[in-house]
Amino acid sequence: MNLLDVKDLKMHFPVHGGVFSRVVGSVKAVDGISLSIKKGQTLGIVGESGCGKSTLGKTIVRLNKPTAGSIHVNGADITKMSQSELRPHRKQFQMMFQDPAESLNPRMSIGEIITEPLLIQKIGNRHTRRERAIQLLERVGIPGSAVDRFSFEFSGGQRQRIGVARAIALQPELLVLDEPVSALDVSVQSQVLNLLLELQEEMGISYMFIAHDLAVVKHISDYVAVMYLGEIVELADADIIYKNPKHAYTKALIAAIPVPDPTVKKERIILEGEIPSPINPPKGSAFGHRINHPQYAETEGLDMPLVEIEPDHWVAADPCCLSVEDYINARSLVK
Amino acid sequence: MNEDVLVIENLQTAFDTEQGRLTAVDGVSFTVPAGKTVGIVGESGCGKSVTAMSIVQLLPQPAGVITGGKVIFKGKDLIGVDDETLYGIRGNEIGVIFQEPMTALNPVQRIGKQLSESLILHKGMSKKDAWAESVNLLDMVGIPSPEIRVGEYPHQLSGGMRQRVVIAIAIVCKPDLIIADEPTTALDVTVQAQILDLLKKLQKENGSSVILITHDLGVIAETCDEVVVMYGGRVVEQAPVENIFKNPQHAYTKGLLDSIPRLETPRKSLLKTIPNMVAGLAEFVDGCRFCQRMEREGDSLNTRPELKEVATDHWVEACPQCTTHA
């Protein structure tokens, strides 16, 4: 059974304008996303800024109220639950944010920060919570004696470890990680990635790992989903997607990663322009529009769902972004 | 023609703090040949940005002081020259690209005004000519509809566009040297590729030399000719780019290269790491600072290792515990 099941999830934010601040449109940050994560597995989410990947993460842990679609965690439908109904379920899913300096309260000791989730869930007493904080700190590689110190006394890498300790305090089954290592130096980044891998092994946690560094995502993920303008355009086993990307956008993203080897002379695909505004997205293929594809006009109003083009490999049936052969194949699979 | 545009000799830069004077750059020397790109790589706090800002003497004031060494730009030592001379060089012969485009640009001035400033100041152009030249420059750095953008404010542009404007400002006077401090760190990979390409193109057209500061080894491999690896305010290794990647000689360089996940690394395998963290400026030992991080013991902690040339143009800090070349 899947730990997380997301179906046709939409998260639209209203845009107000005019003298009476009427709703004049909406930002379609997440626009019809379906995905699932199995127990103990990692799904990586990649895409450029503004593609909706962070909104997707926040919506899944219900920091936003979804516009449409459904979210099931361990079989329970959490899509429409109120905050009080959600509270007992929150133990199962936690989120960790990018900036270790801003996500930790500077007025709380790190012991208080780590055990705040236990306090909210009314678990244990003062004494046992402190014990637990020490235990968690030591698990993430910080001496337990530091429990009464404040977050600003620590370096970026240590703060991110404290963030991990807080996120695992309730022994969640799902952890949504939003750019957890982007702010860290390479040598510290590898320390935190190893910690996450070890914790997954020990506790069987599932991760949703949101990042823009494709090499990092590939390293930690079982599956990788590529997002463009609020939609998933390709989703596959992590090895498959890097060896055999089908979608033009995935290919461009992979080609843009700088390779740490000066002797590699690879073919460069320099993408022109940037991701368009999600307020007025193109009517047809969003990426086809960016690259001025000659077949763009055909895609206006065309349904381009994700289809399983080969085992463990899904791609949007988009004529602008697939080879002719792949497109014919994909189209034949559209129900 | 094989002149060096910039020669840095034994540069020392310190900061006056509550804990006293702390040395952030401790005897750094390297050269930047004409038309070449030199990358400076290292972790936060290794002194790479302070080194670059010491060249143009844009250190936080009054705390930052250059306490020793020479910065010889086109044959002239810039240390100790008067402010007038520096004004004539900064933005004119040396262009600087800062990391954060939102803070590098003035939010209440039109793009065109910010570009014109240098042209009016250094090239003596009239306002009208400078404005027209600004449109050309925006076009050159690949900004669509430059004649409209030139009249806009920074907040009306996206992050990638803003970074292009910052680059346009740095190259406005066709400088001999461009200092780029983490120019693509805040950008997406796709936009990063566009910006690095643009930098290369402009460098070719103007024949400028570039100092590129980054912590991304992939960016270094793709854009640099020479690499300077810094640790703890010092240069630990310096070599042509192929040598750094194919034949690194210092344990720190090797550690950095090993700790990055690559597309070919087996998925979900544990990465190699460099244990512990960089010490604070106040705690640094005189001797090998990488040995200090590795919690090693011995003589290497007491005496500073010499830089030694182990192959043509390949220099390494000869600590007996960090390299076989001691």
Side-chain angles (χ1 to χ4, degrees):
Chain A
M1 199 185 76
N2 293 327
L3 178 70
L4 173 74
D5 262 310
V6 173
K7 286 251 151 33
D8 280 322
L9 188 68
K10 289 187 181 171
M11 185 66 236
H12 296 178
F13 297 99
V15 178
H16 299 275
V19 256
F20 300 111
S21 283
R22 279 175 308 174
V23 175
V24 292
S26 62
V27 176
K28 299 180 178 68
V30 172
D31 202 21
I33 280 190
S34 302
L35 54 84
S36 56
I37 302 179
K38 290 198 181 72
K39 189 167 170 44
Q41 289 206 331
T42 303
L43 173 69
I45 310 273
V46 293
E48 291 169 276
S49 353
C51 73
K53 54 190 195 300
S54 292
T55 307
L56 175 65
K58 282 188 190 161
T59 310
I60 286 174
V61 298
R62 281 296 317 275
L63 294 177
N64 292 325
K65 203 166 183 193
T67 314
S70 70
I71 307 161
H72 287 80
V73 178
N74 256 339
D77 186 350
I78 61 159
T79 325
K80 294 201 170 74
M81 283 186 183
S82 68
Q83 289 305 323
S84 58
E85 285 171 319
L86 269 173
R87 189 158 298 154
H89 292 274
R90 284 217 181 273
K91 273 182 262 184
Q92 294 170 35
F93 50 93
Q94 294 284 312
M95 182 157 184
M96 196 178 125
F97 298 94
Q98 170 172 9
D99 194 323
E102 281 176 28
S103 59
L104 303 177
N105 187 337
R107 293 170 186 272
M108 286 164 83
S109 75
I110 59 169
E112 287 167 340
I113 288 173
I114 292 170
T115 53
E116 201 181 19
L118 299 169
L119 187 69
I120 291 168
Q121 296 287 349
K122 305 194 173 68
I123 295 170
N125 58 36
R126 237 185 130 107
H127 179 71
T128 56
R129 282 198 293 268
R130 191 182 151 87
E131 288 297 305
R132 177 87 177 120
I134 292 171
Q135 195 189 349
L136 284 163
L137 277 176
E138 284 176 350
R139 179 60 202 89
V140 299
I142 292 174
S145 55
V147 68
D148 294 321
R149 287 163 66 185
F150 291 88
S151 63
F152 54 78
E153 297 176 56
F154 296 87
S155 70
Q158 287 175 318
R159 283 188 203 145
Q160 209 55 317
R161 287 170 190 270
I162 295 166
V164 173
R166 175 174 60 180
I168 62 168
L170 292 167
Q171 296 184 292
E173 294 184 59
L174 173 69
L175 190 53
V176 175
L177 303 149
D178 190 3
E179 305 266 12
V181 296
S182 309
L184 306 176
D185 275 315
V186 275
S187 75
V188 180
Q189 172 180 296
S190 58
Q191 294 172 3
V192 174
L193 287 174
N194 282 354
L195 173 66
L196 290 172
L197 286 168
E198 285 164 14
L199 289 172
Q200 183 167 56
E201 186 80 31
E202 273 172 41
M203 304 169 61
I205 320 178
S206 307
Y207 294 139
M208 180 162 148
F209 191 99
I210 302 166
H212 66 272
D213 185 327
L214 290 96
V216 168
V217 169
K218 192 221 156 202
H219 185 75
I220 199 160
S221 304
D222 296 287
Y223 286 87
V224 174
V226 179
M227 269 184 84
Y228 190 74
L229 211 61
E231 295 176 16
I232 292 178
V233 295
E234 189 161 6
L235 195 164
D237 173 273
D239 286 326
I240 294 177
I241 207 164
Y242 286 92
K243 277 193 198 115
N244 186 21
K246 297 280 187 194
H247 197 282
Y249 182 60
T250 313
K251 288 181 186 171
L253 276 186
I254 293 173
I257 316 175
V259 180
D261 182 349
T263 53
V264 173
K265 293 277 174 277
K266 57 178 190 190
E267 67 168 311
R268 274 228 171 255
I269 310 174
I270 302 277
L271 270 185
E272 293 295 319
E274 285 157 47
I275 213 161
S277 155
I279 298 177
N280 272 316
K283 288 190 180 65
S285 160
F287 190 66
H289 186 263
R290 172 159 167 191
I291 55 176
N292 262 326
H293 197 277
Q295 275 169 285
Y296 171 72
E298 290 171 31
T299 63
E300 290 196 5
L302 181 70
D303 188 25
M304 295 175 284
L306 279 184
V307 291
E308 191 169 5
I309 197 162
E310 57 183 25
D312 272 347
H313 195 166
W314 291 262
V315 68
D318 180 340
C320 302
C321 304
L322 297 179
S323 68
V324 176
E325 192 193 334
D326 284 339
Y327 178 63
I328 294 169
N329 191 359
R331 198 35 66 185
S332 71
L333 294 165
V334 177
K335 287 180 193 105
Chain B
M1 285 304 289
N2 233 343
E3 259 170 73
D4 292 329
V5 168
L6 183 77
V7 180
I8 297 181
E9 281 175 20
N10 201 21
L11 180 71
Q12 305 257 1
T13 304
F15 288 95
D16 288 323
T17 69
E18 286 168 8
Q19 294 151 283
R21 182 166 278 196
L22 300 177
T23 305
V25 175
D26 190 13
V28 164
S29 307
F30 63 93
T31 57
V32 182
K36 298 282 185 199
T37 301
V38 175
I40 307 182
V41 67
E43 295 177 89
S44 325
C46 72
K48 54 190 194 300
S49 288
V50 181
T51 303
M53 291 309 131
S54 301
I55 299 168
V56 279
Q57 298 174 40
L58 287 175
L59 295 165
Q61 288 304 325
V65 268
I66 296 174
T67 51
K70 287 177 181 169
V71 172
I72 302 162
F73 175 66
K74 295 204 288 184
K76 202 166 80 191
D77 190 359
L78 297 185
I79 306 291
V81 298
D82 56 43
D83 287 350
E84 289 296 308
T85 321
L86 276 176
Y87 294 150
I89 290 172
R90 283 198 291 243
N92 186 20
E93 292 174 81
I94 303 181
V96 186
I97 301 170
F98 297 95
Q99 173 174 3
E100 210 13 271
M102 204 56 219
T103 43
L105 294 172
N106 185 336
V108 296
Q109 267 186 11
R110 292 177 199 278
I111 302 294
K113 176 126 195 271
Q114 303 188 45
L115 277 162
S116 307
E117 201 180 11
S118 298
L119 291 168
I120 297 167
L121 184 74
H122 297 300
K123 302 287 176 208
M125 280 191 189
S126 71
K127 264 191 187 167
K128 210 177 144 202
D129 289 346
W131 191 269
E133 179 61 23
S134 303
V135 177
N136 286 340
L137 276 159
L138 289 181
D139 191 35
M140 206 163 116
V141 296
I143 291 186
S145 29
E147 57 292 329
I148 299 169
R149 294 297 189 186
V150 74
E152 293 191 338
Y153 293 92
H155 72 266
Q156 292 171 290
L157 307 180
S158 69
M161 292 288 174
R162 273 184 229 139
Q163 195 57 292
R164 284 168 194 266
V165 171
V166 174
I167 292 178
I169 292 175
I171 59 154
V172 71
C173 296
K174 297 195 171 46
D176 298 298
L177 176 68
I178 299 171
I179 298 174
D181 188 4
E182 305 263 11
T184 58
T185 305
L187 307 173
D188 280 315
V189 272
T190 50
V191 182
Q192 166 171 290
Q194 295 169 7
I195 298 287
L196 293 176
D197 235 48
L198 169 68
L199 255 180
K200 266 191 210 167
K201 193 185 104 201
L202 294 170
Q203 180 180 18
K204 224 174 181 177
E205 280 168 14
N206 297 342
S208 316
S209 306
V210 176
I211 296 179
L212 181 74
I213 298 157
T214 177
H215 63 267
D216 187 331
L217 291 155
V219 171
I220 291 272
E222 291 202 353
T223 50
C224 297
D225 300 297
E226 309 259 339
V227 185
V228 174
V229 183
M230 286 186 68
Y231 188 84
R234 297 171 179 170
V235 174
V236 292
E237 187 161 5
Q238 181 181 343
V241 68
E242 300 81 21
N243 289 19
I244 287 287
F245 286 89
K246 289 286 162 217
N247 198 15
Q249 294 300 323
H250 195 280
Y252 178 63
T253 316
K254 289 181 190 168
L256 272 187
L257 287 167
D258 283 342
S259 60
I260 32 175
R262 295 162 192 255
L263 289 180
E264 61 275 13
T265 322
R267 114 158 71 127
K268 293 190 132 176
S269 57
L270 290 186
L271 293 163
K272 286 195 184 158
T273 60
I274 303 175
N276 312 321
M277 289 174 307
V278 191
L281 282 185
E283 287 107 55
F284 276 137
V285 293
D286 287 338
C288 174
R289 291 168 178 180
F290 190 61
C291 284
Q292 182 182 13
R293 171 162 176 179
M294 302 301 280
E295 294 171 347
R296 292 178 186 140
E297 284 170 11
D299 265 357
S300 63
L301 286 157
N302 304 322
T303 34
R304 180 173 181 172
E306 300 255 299
L307 268 184
K308 210 166 148 185
E309 190 169 19
V310 296
T312 319
D313 292 331
H314 190 155
W315 296 78
V316 72
E317 199 178 60
C319 162
Q321 303 202 65
C322 294
T323 176
T324 51
H325 295 281

